[in-house]
Amino acid sequence: MSTGALLRRATRGSTALRGGRVRRLTPYQVFGLLFWLLMTLAYWRVPPCCEAGLHAAAVARLRAGLTDTAVSPYVLAQGALARLTGLTGWQLLRVGGPLNLLVLLTGLGRLVRVLTPRPWAPVLALAFLSLLWGTRPAWGGGSLALLPLTGSLGYPSAFALGLTLWAWALTGARARDLRRVRYVGPSGLRSLSGYAALGLLYGTVALIDPVTGVGAAAGAVAFVAGWQRGWRAAVWGRWALMCAVAAAAPAFGTHARVPPPSVFGAYGPYAGSGGLGELAGLTGQCWLALLGLPALWLRARRAGGSAPRGSVGPPAWRDPLVLLFALGCLVLVCGRLVGLLGLVLLAPQCALAVELAAERPWPGWRGVLGWAAAGGVCVGFLAAQAGAVVPRSVDPVGFAQPPRWPSYDWAARHIGPGEPVVTDAYYAVRLLPGYGIDLADGHDHRPRVRWLLLTRQERLPAEAVVVDWSRRTGEVLARLTRTGDASPVPLVTRSVTR
């Protein structure tokens, strides 16, 4: 018997099965859990607003048994869950927020681990993606910035963003192929089923949110073109299979309904598409993320220096993050899809995190880059993101706060599901459909129109009776007393007095 065996300490208890090793939490698991708890509480603190009424309305329709051909798999799953549990659309939005955040955090951690094994890189990436944006507050989905997350965490676009991060991580792992493969095919490559499943994942992203699907496709091209080596027929066939499945999924499925740009204009620049003027106006909302451009330049330089002879394409572009940023900017400008801004800026933010996670001692230029990133994080948090986690009641300086729209529970308890309401109130038009209530205009000829919701500047018609009112907004819910004929609903006249 060897001396090492005699001197080996005996292990007792549950650790004996693992040779005495106790698995410790990684830095990202600790900080990711704290981030998840903080943002979940912040999301639940902010009342529903903006696009939330549209998503809750889609769930309410499915819960009532009304079919709609223009819904995504995400909304279908929510509708099925609503029918099984009896939860409303608003409640499912609240429940879906923490689940979407979990998908986002796990996807980000997996993606950064594919880029580098450095343990602190995912933590820095999470900090940069949530804080390193701009000095002008923004609102909307499509990013991990703190302030927009407080309102968009329950949207399908947040879930699609998380699936995109997972898809990129799996694509990068297969393209780079540094890990040991357990099961291989006759050609020594990974099985075809994995590539088909990956294509199905990309197709699901496109079904849930078509705008995010475009960005996911650009990222897939970047990771495959940047890392895949040894191109031959079997390799081409596997990636072609992934593309075919990804293209077939939206063709045989139903796309998510995208509201018109006029509706998106009320929700902020991240929500949909806009013109070039809108793109130029995003500088104040994202200029701090450009601190990661030096890190991208370093990655391009290293890729150019290590490219093998005979490789296809410019060697300086054989880095996936460099390609992702270039392709993302191209799609963002040419397609005018402002909703892709978060995915485009992910490249410099992650490149900066990977660079600053290197072991010490640092060269002088990396120290300067680190101090610049730390300053950018502080400026971004104080100027634009602090209001997401600092309540207004304890706000010492007046940070930019998330919008706090009024609730219409006081009106929904009087109106039955599916009953039409005539209103032109800004908030009511966007939130009442979430309660399963139909909206009608003043020229509606349906005999069953019997409800009016008036602002404080509108005069009550003679044939209406006040049922309830809101103390916060001053809006009045009135019931029409004569609706037996098919005459139009009386138009509400404006009054300058309250």
Side-chain angles (χ1 to χ4, degrees):
M1 184 178 296
S2 64
T3 305
L6 291 174
L7 297 179
R8 184 178 299 168
R9 181 177 297 178
T11 57
R12 299 180 177 86
S14 60
T15 59
L17 298 177
R18 300 191 296 269
R21 296 181 180 179
V22 179
R23 185 176 181 180
R24 298 180 179 179
L25 295 176
T26 64
Y28 183 70
Q29 289 173 338
V30 175
F31 286 95
L33 178 60
L34 295 177
F35 185 86
W36 182 84
L37 292 174
L38 179 65
M39 292 310 300
T40 297
L41 295 177
Y43 172 68
W44 285 344
R45 177 178 65 92
V46 178
C49 69
C50 308
E51 198 179 341
L54 298 178
H55 299 301
V59 177
R61 287 178 57 85
L62 294 176
R63 182 171 178 259
L66 301 177
T67 59
D68 194 340
T69 58
V71 294
S72 67
Y74 184 88
V75 178
L76 287 176
Q78 283 190 323
L81 186 61
R83 301 198 68 174
L84 290 175
T85 61
L87 296 176
T88 63
W90 296 117
Q91 292 170 336
L92 283 175
L93 279 178
R94 290 306 190 187
V95 173
L99 298 179
N100 293 344
L101 182 58
L102 183 62
V103 177
L104 279 167
L105 292 177
T106 54
L108 177 62
R110 182 63 182 268
L111 176 61
V112 178
R113 285 197 301 271
V114 171
L115 294 171
T116 178
R118 298 168 183 172
W120 285 95
V123 179
L124 293 176
L126 178 60
F128 295 156
L129 264 70
S130 58
L131 298 175
L132 206 60
W133 278 83
T135 52
R136 186 161 66 90
W139 187 253
S143 70
L144 273 174
L146 292 185
L147 194 65
L149 274 185
T150 57
S152 63
L153 203 52
Y155 294 174
S157 59
F159 185 71
L161 180 60
L163 291 185
T164 299
L165 298 179
W166 271 104
W168 287 354
L170 296 175
T171 303
R174 288 182 176 274
R176 206 173 192 181
D177 204 12
L178 295 180
R179 297 185 62 183
R180 190 175 181 179
V181 182
R182 186 176 181 183
Y183 299 104
V184 296
S187 59
L189 300 174
R190 296 176 183 263
S191 63
L192 295 173
S193 59
Y195 289 86
L198 189 56
L200 184 61
L201 182 58
Y202 280 107
T204 303
V205 172
L207 282 173
I208 295 176
D209 187 2
V211 176
T212 305
V214 175
V221 173
F223 279 96
V224 174
W227 273 345
Q228 181 63 57
R229 300 294 185 269
W231 287 96
R232 57 184 188 273
V235 176
W236 281 105
R238 279 161 169 76
W239 291 120
L241 175 64
M242 185 198 75
C243 296
V245 175
F252 290 98
T254 54
H255 283 282
R257 172 174 290 162
V258 181
S262 59
V263 176
F264 275 133
Y267 304 142
Y270 292 120
S273 59
L276 294 178
E278 187 177 3
L279 290 174
L282 296 178
T283 305
Q285 301 174 6
C286 64
W287 69 272
L288 288 174
L290 301 181
L291 291 173
L293 290 181
L296 277 181
W297 177 80
L298 289 172
R299 293 182 67 91
R301 184 178 179 182
R302 291 166 186 162
S306 60
R309 293 184 179 180
S311 59
V312 180
W317 296 97
R318 295 303 295 265
D319 182 85
L321 290 183
V322 177
L323 278 173
L324 175 61
F325 184 70
L327 292 177
C329 290
L330 183 64
V331 175
L332 179 67
V333 175
C334 296
R336 302 182 183 181
L337 299 176
V338 189
L340 295 180
L341 183 63
L343 293 178
V344 174
L345 296 181
L346 181 142
Q349 291 165 339
C350 284
L352 183 61
V354 171
E355 198 63 44
L356 296 182
E359 296 182 356
R360 293 178 180 271
W362 284 357
W365 60 265
R366 185 172 288 162
V368 173
L369 188 61
W371 281 109
V377 166
C378 294
V379 171
F381 176 75
L382 295 176
Q385 310 298 335
V389 293
V390 179
R392 194 184 303 271
S393 58
V394 296
D395 188 351
V397 296
F399 295 122
Q401 294 285 335
R404 302 190 67 87
W405 284 24
S407 172
Y408 286 87
D409 295 340
W410 61 273
R413 65 171 175 258
H414 300 287
I415 307 172
E419 294 187 0
V421 179
V422 177
T423 183
D424 61 352
Y426 179 83
Y427 298 119
V429 169
R430 289 155 177 81
L431 294 181
L432 281 180
Y435 297 92
I437 299 172
D438 292 341
L439 297 179
D441 57 24
H443 297 278
D444 201 305
H445 288 260
R446 287 177 290 181
R448 62 191 184 95
V449 174
R450 54 193 296 261
W451 294 102
L452 297 176
L453 196 146
L454 312 176
T455 63
R456 63 177 66 188
Q457 288 83 21
E458 293 174 331
R459 183 180 302 165
L460 184 70
E463 55 271 35
V465 177
V466 174
V467 176
D468 204 345
W469 69 289
S470 171
R471 295 181 180 271
R472 177 180 174 182
T473 63
E475 294 169 323
V476 172
L477 178 67
R479 184 178 64 246
L480 293 174
T481 57
R482 296 195 302 269
T483 58
D485 56 359
S487 59
V489 178
L491 292 176
V492 179
T493 58
R494 295 278 180 177
S495 174
V496 294
T497 59
R498 293 180 57 181

